[in-house]
């Protein structure tokens, strides 16, 4: 079990999903991941913290009143002082969408967008560190930025967090860069191809499961949709899915839990 008590500056530290019906989302994610829930009151926006074994792994947030935003997952990067990267992102042609703001008793946050338009959060931990568990069944496993402007966002994020980069693939038909901090690989960046159609640039989150195939079956039974059936990768079997509201995310059966013969 991989418990977390701290995060590197720039490391993914939290993810939450914004949906119009949090109760329906709780039913779905409980059926798929076995999550349990801590539901706050109206003073905290009826925010739900999802847990595995009592450790926080994700959040569920109702769509803010009066905002016509699509159901979506959001990723947050750790920052000891969110004001600093929030100010600096504008110098790389990004923008601040919300905040910085205080979340009483929990921390401080800002919501920003990179120069290509992908939105993400910045989180300065207070009472809420972020993920209490990663890389285990039902917990966060990985994230990547899907973008049509790889060179631009590579430079912008290096400016914010001094990521190291390791290129995977030929950079043409498959352009993937793994980003690291102090030698630890923390997230990735994938260049979107024309096959993505009009899908907006975005951060994708991955949650760990024991079996990609079995989980896809459970997702379908619970009212979700399998967008991309399970396929093999060096890191495990992956599938792209949505919850019943249409918020997309990925599941991954981590390689050490899969049959090496399963390609």
């Amino acid at each position: 079990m991989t418990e977390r008590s701290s995060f590197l500056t720039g490391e993914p530290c939290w993810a939450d999903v914004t949906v119009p019906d949090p109760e329906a989302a709780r039913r779905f994610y409980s059926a798929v991941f076995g999550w349990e829930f801590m539901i706050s009151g109206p003073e905290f926006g009826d925010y739900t913290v999802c847990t595995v074994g009592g450790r926080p792994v994700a959040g569920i947030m109702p769509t803010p009143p009066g905002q016509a935003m699509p159901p979506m997952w959001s990723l947050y990067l750790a920052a000891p002082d969110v004001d600093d990267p929030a100010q600096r992102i504008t110098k790389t042609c990004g923008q601040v969408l919300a905040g910085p703001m205080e979340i009483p008793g929990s921390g401080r946050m800002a919501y920003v967008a990179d120069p290509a338009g992908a939105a993400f959060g910045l989180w300065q931990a207070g009472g809420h560190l972020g993920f209490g568990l990663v890389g285990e069944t039902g917990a966060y496993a990985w994230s990547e930025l899907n973008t049509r402007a790889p060179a631009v966002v590579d430079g912008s994020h290096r400016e914010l967090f001094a990521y190291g980069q390791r290129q995977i693939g030929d950079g043409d038909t498959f352009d993937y860069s793994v980003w690291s901090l102090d030698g630890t690989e923390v997230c990735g960046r994938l260049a979107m191809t024309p096959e993505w159609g009009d899908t907006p640039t975005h951060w994708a989150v991955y949650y760990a499961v024991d079996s990609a195939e079995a989980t896809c079956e459970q997702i379908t039974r619970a009212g979700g949709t399998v967008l991309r059936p399970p396929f093999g990768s060096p890191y495990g079997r992956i599938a792209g899915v949505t919850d019943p509201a249409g918020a997309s995310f990925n599941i991954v059966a981590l390689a050490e839990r899969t049959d090496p013969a399963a390609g």
Side-chain angles (χ1 to χ4, degrees), residues 17-86:
V17 62
T18 302
V19 290
D21 187 345
E23 184 177 350
R26 288 190 288 268
R27 289 195 300 268
F28 172 79
Y29 288 104
S30 175
V32 172
F33 293 130
W35 286 350
E36 297 182 332
F37 308 106
M38 299 185 295
I39 307 172
S40 68
E43 66 275 20
F44 293 102
D46 298 311
Y47 193 88
T48 298
V49 174
C50 313
T51 64
V52 169
R55 297 171 180 83
V57 295
I60 298 173
M61 181 169 64
T63 304
Q67 294 191 21
M69 61 184 296
M72 61 182 290
W73 275 89
S74 296
L75 183 77
Y76 297 78
L77 305 179
D81 177 6
V82 298
D83 295 73
D84 176 55

Side-chain angles (χ1 to χ4, degrees), residues 99-241:
M101 68 186 78
E102 196 74 25
I103 308 299
S106 296
R108 188 167 170 78
M109 69 158 290
Y111 204 62
V112 301
D114 68 30
F120 61 98
L122 300 167
W123 182 250
Q124 179 180 332
H128 174 66
L129 171 70
F131 300 124
L133 183 71
V134 299
E136 300 291 337
T137 300
Y140 167 88
W142 186 248
S143 55
E144 66 200 12
L145 172 57
N146 296 322
T147 183
R148 295 182 178 84
V152 172
V153 300
D154 285 354
S156 173
H157 284 273
R158 278 198 307 268
E159 182 70 21
L160 284 181
F161 296 119
Y163 290 122
Q165 292 185 234
R166 178 171 65 88
Q167 188 71 22
I168 295 177
D170 58 14
D172 184 15
T173 57
F174 181 63
D175 182 353
Y176 196 103
S177 178
V178 178
W179 293 354
S180 62
L181 294 164
D182 296 338
T184 299
E185 295 183 342
V186 295
C187 57
R189 185 273 298 148
L190 174 65
M192 300 169 74
T193 61
E195 286 72 23
W196 287 75
D198 59 359
T199 302
T201 182
H202 64 282
W203 277 91
V205 297
Y206 290 70
Y207 274 81
V209 298
D210 289 326
S211 165
E213 284 76 9
T215 303
C216 282
E217 292 177 3
Q218 182 60 54
I219 285 168
T220 301
R221 288 196 297 269
T225 301
V226 177
L227 299 177
R228 187 176 186 187
F231 61 94
S233 82
Y235 304 100
R237 290 188 65 75
I238 295 170
V241 301

